[in-house]
Amino acid sequence: MLYLDGKKLEEILSAKDAVNAVKEAFSLYYQGKVTQPQRQVLTIKGNWWGIMSSYTDFSVVVKIVNVINENKNRGLPSVQGIVILMSPDTGEPLAVIDGTILTAIRTASASVLSTELSYGNRIPTLGIIGAGLEAYYHAKIASEYLSISRILITARKSHIELAKKIGADAVDLQTLLKESDVIFSTTSSKEPVVLGKFLKEDFHISSIGAHTPDAREIDDETIAKAKTYIVDSLQAVSSESGDYIQPQKKGLIKNVIEIGKIITDGIKIERPSIFKTVGISAQDNLTAYHAYKLSQTFSK
C-alpha cells in the first residue's frame, strides 16, 4: 500500500493537476455521479472533527479531519487529517495520504477555480486574510495557476513572516479589503472579517472558514452586494455554514448556484460574486485519486 506524505504530494501534484481534479469533482458531484453521505461532525472542547467519505466508479475515499484552533499556539496546523484511498472494485486499500496537505491543496484549488470562473486568469490584486497553512497553499496555487500582479496579506499574527515567504505585501485588514479585486478568506474567525463597506464595487470573494452555523467570515453588507452566491454543495452549506444559514434566513442571498452546475453547464457568473465552500468529500476523492495515478507515473 502506497503512502503519500505532504512532500510527495507537492512533487507530483501541480497546481493545474489539483485545480483540474477539483473541477472534475464538482462536476461529477453535480451530475450525481458521486455517492457522498453528509459528513459526520463532532465538536468537542471547542474542537471540530469531521469524518468524510465518498464513492465513485474508480475510487473510494474516507477522510478524518479536524480543526484545532489552539494548534496555532503550538506551532502546528489548525487543520489536520488523514485520507484512505480504496478500490471500488476489490475493496483493496490503495494509499494512505497526508490529509493535512491534501485538504489544503484541494481547498485552495477550489478557491482558485472559483476565481477563474468568476474573474478570469488575470488578477490585479489578490488579498489573503489569514496566515496559516491554508493561506500559504492558497497563495502558492493561485500564484502558479493565475496571473497575479500583486498579493496582499493580513492576519492577527504571523502574516509578516508569511508575506516574506510568498513575496506578498503585509497590510492591515482595511487596506486589504479596499485594494483587493479578489479576496481569499482563510480564517477560523467567528466574526466577519470581510466587511462590505470597504470593498470595491466589483469583487470576488472565496471564503473557506465559518464551517459552523454560529460562525461568520463575511458580513451581511457583502452578501447583499453579491449578484451571485456560489456554493460547493447547497446541502452542505445549508446545514453547516453561518455565512449561508444566517443571511439566507434574512433573505439577503441572491442567485445561489452550485459550482458544479457552473462547470457542467458552462454558466457565466455575474459579479460581484461570493464562493462559499465548507469542503466536500468528492474533492478529496478526486484529488487523492489523481495523486495516486500520478504517483504510478512518477515511479516508472
Side-chain angles (χ1 to χ4, degrees):
M1 182 169 54
L2 180 69
Y3 173 63
L4 294 176
D5 61 15
K7 183 177 180 182
K8 190 65 176 178
L9 281 174
E10 283 197 346
E11 287 178 6
I12 64 178
L13 268 180
S14 68
K16 182 177 180 180
D17 290 328
V19 172
N20 285 341
V22 297
K23 186 175 185 179
E24 183 180 1
F26 287 135
S27 182
L28 290 175
Y29 175 77
Y30 168 70
Q31 295 176 69
K33 296 180 180 180
V34 180
T35 301
Q36 178 184 291
Q38 189 167 348
R39 63 179 158 203
Q40 294 176 280
V41 172
L42 301 171
T43 301
I44 301 173
K45 297 180 180 179
N47 298 321
W48 183 94
W49 293 79
I51 302 173
M52 304 168 65
S53 59
S54 58
Y55 179 103
T56 72
D57 287 342
F58 37 84
S59 54
V60 179
V61 151
V62 177
K63 181 173 82 169
I64 300 174
V65 64
N66 55 54
V67 181
I68 313 293
N69 290 325
E70 187 59 29
N71 278 352
K72 287 179 286 190
N73 299 322
R74 299 172 177 139
L76 295 171
S78 57
V79 179
Q80 298 187 89
I82 189 167
V83 172
I84 301 172
L85 176 70
M86 305 176 76
S87 165
D89 300 318
T90 66
E92 175 188 9
L94 301 175
V96 174
I97 302 172
D98 183 334
T100 305
I101 303 303
L102 184 82
T103 299
I105 290 173
R106 62 82 150 152
T107 305
S109 297
S111 292
V112 169
L113 174 62
S114 76
T115 301
E116 181 183 40
L117 293 171
S118 177
Y119 209 95
N121 288 88
R122 296 185 176 277
I123 314 301
T125 302
L126 169 65
I128 300 175
I129 306 174
L133 191 69
E134 290 284 3
Y136 168 74
Y137 276 96
H138 271 70
K140 181 178 186 299
I141 291 176
S143 296
E144 292 175 5
Y145 191 85
L146 303 170
S147 175
I148 303 170
S149 300
R150 184 187 184 202
I151 298 178
L152 306 179
I153 189 164
T154 194
R156 285 175 293 184
K157 60 181 182 178
S158 303
H159 62 292
I160 295 175
E161 292 86 345
L162 182 57
K164 291 177 181 177
K165 185 175 182 179
I166 65 176
D169 295 328
V171 297
D172 61 83
L173 177 61
Q174 187 170 322
T175 299
L176 183 144
L177 295 174
K178 285 181 175 180
E179 297 186 10
S180 298
D181 302 283
V182 173
I183 296 172
F184 294 158
S185 188
T186 69
T187 78
S188 57
S189 177
K190 288 201 170 186
E191 300 296 329
V193 292
V194 180
L195 309 175
K197 65 182 179 180
F198 297 123
L199 297 176
K200 292 185 176 183
E201 290 185 9
D202 185 25
F203 60 77
H204 176 69
I205 311 291
S206 176
S207 165
I208 71 165
H211 49 76
T212 57
D214 63 336
R216 299 287 300 270
E217 276 197 311
I218 310 170
D219 74 351
D220 285 349
E221 186 173 343
T222 303
I223 289 170
K225 287 181 176 181
K227 293 182 179 178
T228 311
Y229 194 105
I230 309 160
V231 298
D232 51 7
S233 162
L234 187 56
Q235 179 188 34
V237 297
S238 296
S239 62
E240 296 182 29
S241 178
D243 274 333
Y244 182 84
I245 295 168
Q246 294 181 36
Q248 193 273 337
K249 287 180 180 178
K250 299 175 184 178
L252 297 176
I253 295 178
K254 304 179 287 290
N255 191 23
V256 182
I257 186 168
E258 286 191 349
I259 192 169
K261 181 176 177 62
I262 294 169
I263 295 162
T264 305
D265 296 345
I267 295 171
K268 184 175 176 59
I269 299 172
E270 190 175 8
R271 294 196 309 266
S273 54
I274 293 169
F275 174 54
K276 185 69 215 181
T277 173
V278 293
I280 58 175
S281 183
Q283 293 170 259
D284 301 306
N285 196 317
L286 270 294
T287 307
Y289 176 73
H290 282 288
Y292 173 74
K293 297 298 288 185
L294 285 166
S295 73
Q296 309 303 298
T297 303
F298 270 69
S299 64
K300 291 178 181 178

